[in-house]
Amino acid sequence: MVSAIITAAGKNSRMLKSQKDRNLKLQNKLTLPFKDTTVIETTIENVLSLDIDECIVVLGHYSDEIKKCILNISDDRLKIIENSPVDVGLATSLSNGLKETNSKFVLCATADQPTVTINTFNKLIKCAINSENPLKTIAILRRKDYGLLKTAEGLGMPFVANRQNLIENLKDFDDNLNPMLRTIFDKGYDFYGIKEENKLELININTYEDYEYVLDNY
């Protein structure tokens, strides 16, 4: 009933800038060490711990470097696809992943979110599936308010939504996801903000400073 899509196709530009500013070795943020593995492996392993049918990882920039980490994971549910062309926005990466799924619902996450807990992912899934109108409900990790939301401003991933409706709504978008989410909200969809278990869940690892903060507080 539920598939997962993890986007891992970005340019890594903010991380590279912060590494250059600090005279550090340049490295894709998703391949940086985290716990006993790497950032992306931790995110994937958390998602694979859920009761899902499949986990599709969408690659683009730095795909060869990232694949060296992913290929260490042995799980038949894991599938890797690559954007073609490579230089596309986040919404297109998500759309490409959706085309490879058949489940009724999708959990959408980004690979730079290794701190989102299994419990929070499960809350998102249960909230969407068990809502009064699952076809037109999006359960999303809150940024400000939680519960039934009055706005989609500032929201991103992770979230859970009906697969087919999400495909239809992504057609006119390529870059960031928030404009698409605001458009869906304006169509009358119910957005439920799920409260985080800890503040680290709200952090995307974009810069080396983000990475250090997460390591120090995880």
Side-chain angles (χ1 to χ4, degrees):
M1 181 177 285
V2 181
S3 295
I5 298 170
I6 299 175
T7 56
K11 294 180 180 179
N12 196 49
S13 54
R14 281 180 282 182
M15 177 60 75
L16 290 178
K17 182 180 184 305
S18 66
Q19 289 171 334
K20 288 178 181 178
D21 290 343
R22 298 175 61 169
N23 294 316
L24 297 171
K25 176 185 175 182
L26 301 184
Q27 184 175 350
N28 187 281
K29 62 182 180 180
L30 302 182
T31 67
L32 289 170
F34 193 86
K35 293 174 62 177
D36 297 325
T37 55
T38 61
V39 169
I40 188 169
E41 286 175 277
T42 303
T43 302
I44 292 173
E45 288 167 359
N46 287 343
V47 170
L48 287 173
S49 296
L50 307 171
D51 184 17
I52 58 171
D53 299 320
E54 59 190 347
C55 176
I56 296 170
V57 179
V58 184
L59 302 181
H61 296 279
Y62 304 96
S63 60
D64 289 341
E65 183 178 342
I66 295 170
K67 273 192 286 190
K68 291 178 182 178
C69 297
I70 298 177
L71 294 177
N72 293 328
I73 301 173
S74 178
D75 193 304
D76 291 340
R77 294 173 296 165
L78 182 63
K79 181 178 181 180
I80 302 169
I81 67 169
E82 296 186 43
N83 289 331
S84 182
V86 171
D87 198 15
V88 296
L90 178 57
T92 297
S93 291
L94 185 56
S95 181
N96 288 340
L98 285 166
K99 293 172 185 176
E100 301 295 325
T101 65
N102 294 305
S103 298
K104 188 173 182 179
F105 295 93
V106 286
L107 165 66
C108 304
T110 63
D112 60 3
Q113 295 178 312
T115 55
V116 179
T117 64
I118 296 168
N119 194 33
T120 294
F121 281 135
N122 275 322
K123 287 180 181 178
L124 291 170
I125 293 170
K126 290 177 181 178
C127 178
I129 292 176
N130 297 328
S131 65
E132 292 183 3
N133 187 2
L135 292 180
K136 298 192 71 175
T137 295
I138 291 183
I140 194 163
L141 181 61
R142 70 94 177 230
R143 290 303 185 269
K144 294 181 180 179
D145 299 327
Y146 55 92
L148 183 61
L149 301 180
K150 297 179 180 179
T151 177
E153 293 292 333
L155 296 176
M157 292 195 273
F159 65 85
V160 176
N162 174 266
R163 170 186 171 271
Q164 191 56 48
N165 284 350
L166 193 55
I167 289 174
E168 292 299 320
N169 281 290
L170 276 167
K171 285 181 178 179
D172 298 324
F173 296 92
D174 173 50
D175 196 11
N176 202 347
L177 280 180
N178 187 256
M180 183 272 294
L181 291 172
R182 294 200 306 268
T183 297
I184 294 177
F185 185 88
D186 291 340
K187 290 180 179 179
Y189 282 62
D190 288 331
F191 277 59
Y192 282 90
I194 300 299
K195 192 177 187 301
E196 73 283 1
E197 291 203 330
N198 60 75
K199 296 299 182 183
L200 291 181
E201 289 192 291
L202 302 177
I203 298 176
N204 291 63
I205 297 176
N206 291 315
T207 66
Y208 203 82
E209 290 71 29
D210 295 333
Y211 173 65
E212 285 187 319
Y213 180 82
V214 169
L215 286 184
D216 290 342
N217 293 279
Y218 190 74

